[in-house]
Structures are given as structure tokens and as C-alpha cells.
Amino acid sequence: GGPVNNGGIILKWFSEQVLGREFKGAEDVDRFLAEAIIVPPGAQGLTCLPWFMGERAPIWDAGATGIFHGMTLRHTRAHMMRAIVEGICFSLFSIAGILAETAGPADRVRASGGFTASAQWVQMVADIFGRPVDVAQDTDASATGAAMLGFIATGEVSGWADFRSWTASPATFLPAPEQQERYRDAFQRFSALAQTFSRT
């Protein structure tokens, strides 16, 4: 796997410290995304490395810092918001690329956690990854996975098939090929910037 430090906490920081508004729950994520997606994919050349809390995967650098790169006078706060969300998604996509080298590419993505409350964010993940994204019915999938492993390890169940009801997905988001193409250049900018500023 590949854990990251920087996800929804960056939306909370930007909302509270830059926009001066409270950020407490799913409705605030939706509000953030609604403004961010006004801007087209790629944020018109603005790129964010969302390493505001250092970063674990894929760079493993506790001293890493966040960056907005390519800022011009045409960029607005909505561009910054879009760049933040894209930067978080691009970090995850980078990790998926590394995992694919060792375990093979994934046909689908299974998403869990607070961000799945935003359909717009999950759709962005589907478009960037170019894979269907199944949203887990349990937002705390890590704990559910740990419980499943425990049941298998103790012999309480015979295998993964016994957990089909646990892993049912209430929603699947399909990628839009034209959007994936638009994200490709933005991801290349992100990757080049990450290589330049990563100390690992």
C-alpha cells in the first residue's frame, strides 16, 4: 500500500486559513469541490504539490513542503482549490503507478474514507485513474479490512468469498475518457515538479 499524510486536511486548512470559513463535514467538502470544479481540469497550468504536512508515500519525506507552481494573475482562489484537489489525486495516482510495477495494474479502484461523500471528488479520481471507482459502503474500510483478515487468520471463515456482503458497493463511478486525456498533461506537470522538489 501507500499511505499519504495530505488529503482532506488540506481542504480544511485552505478553507479555514485562506478562505476564512469553517470546515467541519461532508457539506463543506461538497462546497469546496463545487467551487473548484468551476475551473477546467489542469487548473489552467496551476499545479499543487500537496505536501503541507510532509509526506509518506510516494516520497517518504517528513520535511517535504507544499507548493503552488505556475501561478499567474489570471489564477483565482478557485484555481488554487482545483489544484489542491488534483494534487491530492495525482499523489494517489503516483502511488498506484508504483504498486502496478510490483503487483500489476488494477482493473478497478475501491474508494473509502471521508472524500467519498463528494461525488465530484470520486468522479475526479475515476477520470484521473481511468478506472471504474467502487465506493465502499463502509467509510472506515481499513478497520473492516483488518477485521476480515482477523476472521480469516483465526479460521472463523473459509476465505474472502465469505465477505461479499461486506464489500458490496452502493455506487460506481465510471471514467470519462475525454477527461482522462485532459488530466494527462496536468499529471505530467505534477510528476516533473515532484521529481524536482522531492529530496528522495
Side-chain angles (χ1 to χ4, degrees), residues 48-71:
C48 176
L49 295 183
W51 302 336
F52 294 85
M53 296 178 59
E55 190 52 282
R56 289 180 289 171
I59 65 168
W60 304 103
D61 184 356
T65 56
I67 295 168
F68 284 99
H69 184 267
M71 185 85 74

Side-chain angles (χ1 to χ4, degrees), residues 4 27-28 35 62 65 84 88 120 127 139 169 186:
V4 297
E27 66 280 358
D28 297 310
E35 185 168 351
T65 56
I84 287 170
I88 294 167
Q120 294 158 324
D127 293 339
T139 57
S169 177

